[in-house]
Amino acid sequence: MKSSEGNPLTTIQRQSFDILKSRASSSHTLDSLHFSSDTPQQKVSVAYLGPRGTYTHQAAIECFQSSAQHLAVNTIADIFDSVKHKDATFGLAPVENSTNGSVAITLDLFRDQDELYIWNETYLRVSHCLLGTSDTGKVKRLYSHPQASIWVYYTNGKAFGQCELWLSKYLPGVNRINTNSTSQAAQAAELDPEGASISSMICADIYNLRVLAMRIQDSDDNTTRFFVISKSPNYETEEAITLMNLPQQKNFLRKTILRFTPNPMKQMAVSKCLLILTQFRVLSVIIRPSLKKDWHYVYFAELEGELSEENLRDMELLCVDIRVLGSFWSRFTI
Amino acid sequence: MKSSEGNPLTTIQRQSFDILKSRASSSHTLDSLHFSSDTPQQKVSVAYLGPRGTYTHQAAIECFQSSAQHLAVNTIADIFDSVKHKDATFGLAPVENSTNGSVAITLDLFRDQDELYIWNETYLRVSHCLLGTSDTGKVKRLYSHPQASIWVYYTNGKAFGQCELWLSKYLPGVNRINTNSTSQAAQAAELDPEGASISSMICADIYNLRVLAMRIQDSDDNTTRFFVISKSPNYETEEAITLMNLPQQKNFLRKTILRFTPNPMKQMAVSKCLLILTQFRVLSVIIRPSLKKDWHYVYFAELEGELSEENLRDMELLCVDIRVLGSFWSRFTI
């Protein structure tokens, strides 16, 4: 669904925008607060990749209710650290994009630590908006991150490329200015009466901008998947479940994510580990360098169901490391 | 092995440098020629990721003898196109780094084409050199690509970070200037009597620079693996084998690389495919988004040995696509 001329938000888009706007306003206030467990409504906090207004911020708002606190941090490693040090109850770490594939940095952080778990997951459909203070027809300068997404390490695509069709139709010849983030683009647009930015929708509220157009990207097939990480795999308190509007058991998929490092001294260890996993429906297998031996890998397997104690014991004999990162009911079904 | 003060190349380093230098000189001339099969010594050409002097250029020189022609192209996609359109006999495509993992772009190109094969593979240990026209003590400006490697889409590390220990010891306080490539850094150093660059060793010859120090990176654990791609999986002419100094059968590893896309309509297709592969020693399993359905993948499996016709027929029933990308004798043994 594309926006047509003159910012004609459909009723559904309008409603969805209003909901997000109200959530962004709430988080707005809470963002500046430090996590504290003094009062019940402050019990859950979520660390996300800042600055405020990023797509990860939007995912945090969509995933958790506005009564959760949102804590902006600078790097994906900081998300892990915030949860480790209990500055935040949960962290939202991007793990995969439907077009660009897995996020190596997040996987490497899961490879290198033994304290955190994958508590659940959430999905965000990335949607670029044109934000400004005036009308589309008056825009003379366009601010945008050259790769307007969090996938800076991965993507080949660029923001301008991503929105090329729309921009060539509605803003041909407009001067394009690179910024360091989609949030910084919005900040620049706020100060420039003839400027507009390509940013997430929540930036409109944060930076006092109007949504001049929604979903201006060429393709709608760009969804980002995040892991909700926590100190404990069993942090399924009623409050957290309500806050995150977690799926109920029925009609959903029970997923298990397993990390294992086959023993390089055992010739068929990889094959034997995979053989055990093939009893389950395998959803994905991802490898990252183990860094212990060249061309030797840590495996991340995602399965339907849960491994038995016996499965895990059998694999332990073949591996130098094995850890269930999480088992949870996912909203996602294949 | 680190260089100590005052550019003291060891005998082995000196010899290795001289060999590379003579090869670079040869390729130097051949680089400017177009591929032609008129004379026997011009029969084999290799497309690499340019510009001249990159680490991929060095891999091409190390992998093929100097009598092969080296063709610089601009992108990894261009490497594939050069071989497809027969501008080059072979292409050298980076596929994996021992620290940063697989190269998504190369895998995606293998996902999206059915004309090319993996003919063999080669490995390059990335080694940063300090190049300049004067002595280390006189260097006032240092030119370097901020991520002095071909892994610009992947790496978190930076060239300066990679060489930080050496630089803080021998060039503290020297002004650092970013360039777009390690070759451009060498070009800048050539024009600046008080400048030096962080580049590949072959840049010394190409840009008339002295090697002021070798192996200045903090860690030596940085090896890049390349696939040698060709129009035919059987391009094992005696000349090509001699040119590339290909391994003989004995003492080497027979590798097969298989691409397959499990049928999303068949619930256990992934598990059943993996089950067939577990008969072999699995060396790695890599996934990339299939782009046909969200969270559905193309699998790349690397095995020891070769699949039988029966194996392939069994997998065909479970997949919407299956293709043996290559079977070859690899220098590499695990």
Side-chain angles (χ1 to χ4, degrees):
Chain A
M1 200 161 46
K2 291 272 176 193
S3 298
S4 50
E5 251 160 322
N7 184 29
L9 301 185
T10 65
T11 313
I12 292 168
Q13 282 175 333
R14 194 70 248 170
Q15 282 170 349
S16 132
F17 175 61
D18 288 342
I19 291 165
L20 270 176
K21 204 164 137 64
S22 80
R23 289 192 184 171
S25 303
S26 316
S27 77
H28 204 141
T29 322
L30 290 158
D31 260 352
S32 55
L33 294 177
H34 265 282
F35 171 63
S36 128
S37 56
D38 290 350
T39 53
Q41 64 270 33
Q42 291 182 343
K43 264 187 185 157
V44 170
S45 59
V46 187
Y48 68 92
L49 193 60
R52 290 168 60 228
T54 60
Y55 287 98
T56 320
H57 190 188
Q58 186 167 330
I61 291 170
E62 288 188 17
C63 177
F64 290 89
Q65 306 296 318
S66 56
S67 49
Q69 291 178 34
H70 303 120
L71 179 70
V73 297
N74 291 328
T75 64
I76 297 180
D78 287 343
I79 296 170
F80 280 68
D81 284 342
S82 300
V83 182
K84 254 182 217 167
H85 304 138
K86 297 192 179 171
D87 295 326
T89 328
F90 296 108
L92 217 58
V95 70
E96 193 175 6
N97 178 270
S98 58
T99 305
N100 296 314
S102 50
V103 180
I105 300 155
T106 297
L107 293 172
D108 289 351
L109 287 162
F110 274 116
R111 173 192 62 199
D112 299 335
Q113 65 80 37
D114 284 314
E115 291 174 60
L116 302 181
Y117 295 89
I118 300 165
W119 190 71
N120 212 300
E121 62 183 4
T122 189
Y123 294 80
L124 177 80
R125 191 161 275 250
V126 173
S127 175
H128 291 310
C129 295
L130 186 78
L131 307 181
T133 49
S134 61
D135 293 325
T136 306
K138 291 177 184 159
V139 171
K140 291 210 170 59
R141 282 168 295 279
L142 180 66
Y143 302 94
S144 173
H145 188 283
Q147 299 160 313
S149 76
I150 53 163
W151 309 101
V152 288
Y153 297 106
Y154 260 74
T155 184
N156 241 342
K158 301 187 175 189
F160 295 134
Q162 282 176 22
C163 303
E164 202 56 60
L165 294 178
W166 194 93
L167 293 175
S168 62
K169 188 167 178 187
Y170 298 107
L171 291 177
V174 160
N175 189 16
R176 299 177 181 186
I177 297 151
N178 284 346
T179 58
N180 289 329
S181 69
T182 49
S183 305
Q184 201 189 65
Q187 271 178 294
E190 188 185 9
L191 300 172
D192 182 349
E194 294 181 326
S197 75
I198 299 177
S199 307
S200 72
M201 196 161 53
I202 57 167
C203 279
D205 180 59
I206 296 172
Y207 299 103
N208 301 307
L209 295 164
R210 291 174 52 209
V211 179
L212 306 181
M214 288 175 79
R215 298 167 81 86
I216 63 171
Q217 68 273 16
D218 298 342
S219 162
D220 271 350
D221 292 338
N222 193 0
T223 302
T224 299
R225 178 186 178 201
F226 298 83
F227 281 151
V228 180
I229 63 178
S230 80
K231 267 291 244 199
S232 154
N234 305 313
Y235 200 111
E236 295 196 356
T237 65
E238 204 168 311
E239 191 189 21
I241 290 168
T242 310
L243 271 173
M244 204 189 139
N245 189 23
L246 269 189
Q248 299 304 305
Q249 184 164 336
K250 58 190 178 206
N251 300 328
F252 288 101
L253 187 71
R254 186 74 182 176
K255 276 189 183 180
T256 294
I257 298 170
L258 183 72
R259 179 190 81 193
F260 62 97
T261 311
N263 189 335
M265 305 302 286
K266 298 192 178 179
Q267 265 243 337
M268 287 289 281
V270 176
S271 301
K272 287 176 184 166
C273 286
L274 291 175
L275 183 63
I276 293 167
L277 299 182
T278 56
Q279 298 170 48
F280 299 85
R281 180 156 75 109
V282 173
L283 303 172
S284 72
V285 178
I286 303 173
I287 59 170
R288 291 293 304 152
S290 72
L291 299 191
K292 297 201 169 123
K293 187 177 188 298
D294 276 0
W295 326 115
H296 176 247
Y297 309 96
V298 172
Y299 282 73
F300 294 91
E302 186 166 22
L303 314 164
E304 181 178 356
E306 283 186 65
L307 285 100
S308 67
E309 283 298 320
E310 197 193 342
N311 294 147
L312 290 169
R313 267 198 308 273
D314 289 346
M315 289 187 71
E316 257 171 28
L317 299 174
L318 300 161
C319 294
V320 291
D321 164 77
I322 181 162
R323 187 160 183 265
V324 176
L325 294 177
S327 277
F328 52 87
W329 293 104
S330 166
R331 277 190 191 81
F332 180 65
T333 50
I334 304 189
Chain B
M1 198 161 48
K2 290 272 178 196
S3 300
S4 52
E5 253 160 320
N7 184 29
L9 301 185
T10 65
T11 314
I12 292 168
Q13 283 174 334
R14 196 71 246 171
Q15 283 170 350
S16 130
F17 174 61
D18 288 342
I19 291 164
L20 270 176
K21 202 163 138 66
S22 81
R23 289 192 185 172
S25 303
S26 318
S27 77
H28 205 141
T29 322
L30 289 158
D31 261 351
S32 55
L33 294 177
H34 265 281
F35 170 64
S36 129
S37 57
D38 291 348
T39 54
Q41 65 271 33
Q42 290 182 343
K43 264 187 184 152
V44 171
S45 59
V46 188
Y48 68 91
L49 192 62
R52 290 168 60 229
T54 59
Y55 286 97
T56 321
H57 190 187
Q58 185 167 331
I61 292 170
E62 288 187 16
C63 177
F64 290 89
Q65 306 295 318
S66 56
S67 50
Q69 291 178 32
H70 303 121
L71 180 69
V73 298
N74 291 327
T75 64
I76 297 180
D78 287 344
I79 296 171
F80 279 68
D81 284 342
S82 300
V83 183
K84 254 185 217 165
H85 304 137
K86 297 192 178 171
D87 295 328
T89 327
F90 296 109
L92 217 59
V95 69
E96 192 175 4
N97 178 271
S98 58
T99 306
N100 296 314
S102 51
V103 180
I105 298 154
T106 298
L107 294 171
D108 289 351
L109 287 162
F110 273 115
R111 173 192 61 200
D112 298 335
Q113 66 79 37
D114 283 315
E115 292 175 60
L116 302 181
Y117 295 89
I118 300 165
W119 190 71
N120 212 300
E121 63 182 5
T122 191
Y123 294 80
L124 176 79
R125 190 161 277 249
V126 173
S127 175
H128 291 310
C129 295
L130 186 77
L131 308 179
T133 50
S134 61
D135 293 325
T136 308
K138 291 177 184 160
V139 171
K140 291 212 169 55
R141 282 168 294 280
L142 179 68
Y143 301 94
S144 174
H145 189 284
Q147 299 159 313
S149 78
I150 55 164
W151 309 101
V152 288
Y153 297 105
Y154 261 74
T155 184
N156 240 342
K158 300 189 175 184
F160 295 137
Q162 282 176 20
C163 304
E164 202 55 62
L165 294 178
W166 195 93
L167 293 175
S168 62
K169 188 165 179 188
Y170 299 108
L171 291 177
V174 161
N175 189 15
R176 299 178 181 186
I177 296 152
N178 284 347
T179 58
N180 288 328
S181 69
T182 49
S183 305
Q184 202 189 63
Q187 271 178 295
E190 188 185 9
L191 301 172
D192 182 348
E194 293 181 327
S197 75
I198 299 177
S199 308
S200 72
M201 196 160 55
I202 58 167
C203 279
D205 181 57
I206 296 171
Y207 298 102
N208 301 307
L209 294 164
R210 290 174 53 209
V211 179
L212 306 181
M214 289 176 77
R215 301 167 79 87
I216 63 171
Q217 67 272 17
D218 298 342
S219 161
D220 271 349
D221 292 337
N222 193 1
T223 302
T224 300
R225 177 187 179 199
F226 298 84
F227 280 151
V228 180
I229 62 176
S230 80
K231 266 290 244 199
S232 155
N234 305 313
Y235 200 112
E236 296 196 356
T237 65
E238 205 167 308
E239 190 190 21
I241 290 168
T242 310
L243 272 172
M244 204 190 140
N245 190 23
L246 269 187
Q248 301 303 305
Q249 184 167 335
K250 58 189 179 205
N251 300 328
F252 288 101
L253 187 70
R254 187 72 183 177
K255 275 189 183 180
T256 294
I257 298 169
L258 183 73
R259 179 190 80 194
F260 63 96
T261 312
N263 189 335
M265 305 301 287
K266 299 192 176 178
Q267 265 243 338
M268 288 288 281
V270 176
S271 301
K272 287 175 184 167
C273 286
L274 291 176
L275 183 62
I276 293 167
L277 300 181
T278 55
Q279 298 170 49
F280 300 84
R281 181 155 73 108
V282 174
L283 303 172
S284 72
V285 177
I286 303 173
I287 59 170
R288 290 294 303 153
S290 74
L291 298 191
K292 294 196 172 128
K293 187 179 188 297
D294 277 2
W295 326 115
H296 176 246
Y297 309 96
V298 172
Y299 282 74
F300 296 90
E302 185 165 23
L303 314 165
E304 181 178 357
E306 282 186 66
L307 286 98
S308 68
E309 282 300 317
E310 196 193 343
N311 295 147
L312 289 170
R313 268 198 308 274
D314 289 346
M315 288 187 71
E316 257 171 30
L317 298 173
L318 299 161
C319 293
V320 291
D321 165 77
I322 180 162
R323 187 160 183 267
V324 176
L325 294 177
S327 277
F328 53 85
W329 293 103
S330 167
R331 276 190 192 81
F332 180 66
T333 50
I334 304 189

